[in-house]
Amino acid sequence: MKVHSDLSTFKATRPVVTIGMFDGVHSGHRQLLAQLVDKAKSLQGEAVVITFWPHPRMVLNQDKDELRFLTSPEERTILFSQLGIDHLLLIPFTKELSNLTSEEFINEFLVQKIGIQHLLMGFNHRFGKDRESRFEKYTELAQKYGFGISKVEAVKTAGLKTSSTDIRNHLLAGNISKANQILGYPYLLSGRVMGGQKLGRRIGYPTANIEVNESFKLIPPDGVYACYVHVEGKRFGGMLNIGYRPTVNHNVDHRSLEVHIFDFNRDIYSEEIQVEFIQRVRDEMKFENVDALIGQLKLDEQTIRSIVQ
């Protein structure tokens, strides 16, 4: 897959295009993207995904402080690359771009700069300043500018709605399994291992303190989670704690993410790691003393090892 941020040098054979934010690149997105690839092959063309960054709501200051994303731009790019896409166009979203009507965007970007052959749209996708436009309006514009157009209908995964909003709601409620079902893969966080208080090492449960790479990344609620950890090219089971560590920490200014990696004892300070969420095991708890905390950690380890094995 070729990644482009400069449209002036973009070239593709008979481009078959879809447009969207694709946060999470979830199972519904994947069905649309599979149809995009199939359509491109049938037209002897290339599959092109157009997406934007920053998110339009960030640029337009629409509930900016409440925005939480399932994937960073880097994570989305990796997920796209696994799906047979030929070209990924990362278009910077600006206030000037937001003022273009759907027809202006189609003419300026899709027709003149990309040379679109066919447009594939999600069932509820809208673009342009006149986002109230219906699919019939886009069909009229496709006929006017001489390209094909089709729409992918809504799908469900295991009876669940396939939407980024529903995935966020499940994650915020701690329903990791439902979120993962809709995503089609385990929800993940990427980050760098930072220095910590090293209490875990002293009590027999050394942890990697994770600083998440993306400041707008959605972090599930406080608690203990079964997870997999990708580090140094290998995957390990692990137990992750999200919260304020109330038993040992009286500084509640920010949450910490600490993962104990099973059967791993290397120093990975400043290394990049990736955590896959598998199951929420329990709420964060405050214990009477450190010995009670250690006893619970042993029970957590037994429970979580049975899950990740």
Side-chain angles (χ1 to χ4, degrees):
M1 183 182 75
K2 296 179 180 179
V3 181
H4 310 264
S5 57
D6 184 359
L7 276 174
S8 65
T9 59
F10 174 78
K11 289 183 179 179
T13 302
R14 300 172 65 82
V16 177
V17 178
T18 194
I19 307 168
M21 289 306 301
F22 298 102
D23 188 26
V25 195
H26 56 63
S27 56
H29 294 146
R30 288 163 183 257
Q31 292 196 39
L32 182 151
L33 295 171
Q35 292 189 39
L36 181 79
V37 171
D38 288 344
K39 188 67 176 180
K41 289 179 179 177
S42 71
L43 295 177
Q44 297 182 320
E46 293 181 294
V48 179
V49 172
I50 296 177
T51 190
F52 306 93
W53 193 258
H55 193 284
R57 286 170 59 189
M58 296 170 69
V59 175
L60 302 176
N61 290 317
Q62 297 175 345
D63 303 321
K64 182 177 178 180
D65 293 337
E66 299 178 12
L67 283 178
R68 293 296 181 269
F69 300 122
L70 303 173
T71 44
S72 68
E74 294 77 12
E75 289 165 347
R76 280 191 302 161
T77 299
I78 292 171
L79 291 167
F80 282 134
S81 71
Q82 299 167 352
L83 300 175
I85 306 302
D86 297 301
H87 299 274
L88 176 62
L89 288 176
L90 298 171
I91 296 180
F93 192 86
T94 63
K95 287 187 177 180
E96 291 75 18
L97 183 63
S98 74
N99 286 323
L100 295 179
T101 66
S102 55
E103 179 167 6
E104 289 169 336
F105 182 84
I106 285 172
N107 183 32
E108 181 178 338
F109 284 88
L110 301 188
V111 176
Q112 295 186 30
K113 294 183 178 180
I114 295 175
I116 185 171
Q117 177 73 22
H118 190 93
L119 177 63
L120 183 65
M121 297 187 64
F123 74 98
N124 63 349
H125 183 64
R126 304 287 186 270
F127 61 86
K129 186 176 181 179
D130 51 341
R131 287 175 60 87
E132 67 278 3
S133 294
R134 304 195 326 173
F135 183 71
E136 290 75 14
K137 170 68 173 178
Y138 299 114
T139 301
E140 292 173 5
L141 292 172
Q143 292 172 348
K144 177 177 178 179
Y145 289 100
F147 60 87
I149 188 169
S150 54
K151 179 172 65 172
V152 175
E153 297 300 332
V155 296
K156 287 190 175 183
T157 301
L160 301 170
K161 289 173 60 179
T162 53
S163 79
S164 299
T165 298
D166 283 274
I167 295 169
R168 292 188 198 100
N169 290 338
H170 286 309
L171 288 172
L172 290 172
N175 296 327
I176 304 301
S177 61
K178 286 186 178 180
N180 288 349
Q181 273 187 300
I182 304 172
L183 279 169
Y185 60 90
Y187 185 64
L188 55 88
L189 290 173
S190 302
R192 185 176 298 276
V193 178
M194 308 300 289
Q197 297 180 3
K198 302 189 184 302
L199 173 67
R201 188 172 300 278
R202 294 198 295 273
I203 64 175
Y205 284 91
T207 60
N209 209 10
I210 305 169
E211 182 177 277
V212 179
N213 290 337
E214 174 55 62
S215 60
F216 287 94
K217 180 82 172 183
L218 186 151
I219 297 176
D222 297 352
V224 176
Y225 293 81
C227 67
Y228 291 113
V229 183
H230 292 261
V231 57
E232 297 182 340
K234 296 181 180 179
R235 188 183 79 164
F236 300 86
M239 46 195 281
L240 174 73
N241 184 82
I242 300 176
Y244 300 102
R245 301 181 304 168
T247 305
V248 298
N249 184 12
H250 301 291
N251 175 17
V252 295
D253 292 338
H254 64 278
R255 295 197 293 167
S256 64
L257 286 82
E258 296 178 290
V259 62
H260 172 67
I261 308 172
F262 295 150
D263 309 314
F264 185 86
N265 59 7
R266 293 175 60 87
D267 182 1
I268 53 173
Y269 177 72
S270 81
E271 294 285 334
E272 289 279 341
I273 68 173
Q274 190 176 75
V275 175
E276 296 180 355
F277 285 75
I278 305 303
Q279 183 176 321
R280 189 171 188 269
V281 174
R282 64 170 173 85
D283 293 338
E284 187 176 44
M285 302 163 60
K286 185 171 183 177
F287 300 94
E288 292 182 0
N289 51 52
V290 173
D291 286 340
L293 169 62
I294 293 172
Q296 181 62 52
L297 290 175
K298 290 180 178 178
L299 293 175
D300 293 339
E301 179 181 2
Q302 183 178 0
T303 299
I304 292 173
R305 279 187 180 273
S306 68
I307 294 171
V308 299
Q309 286 174 355

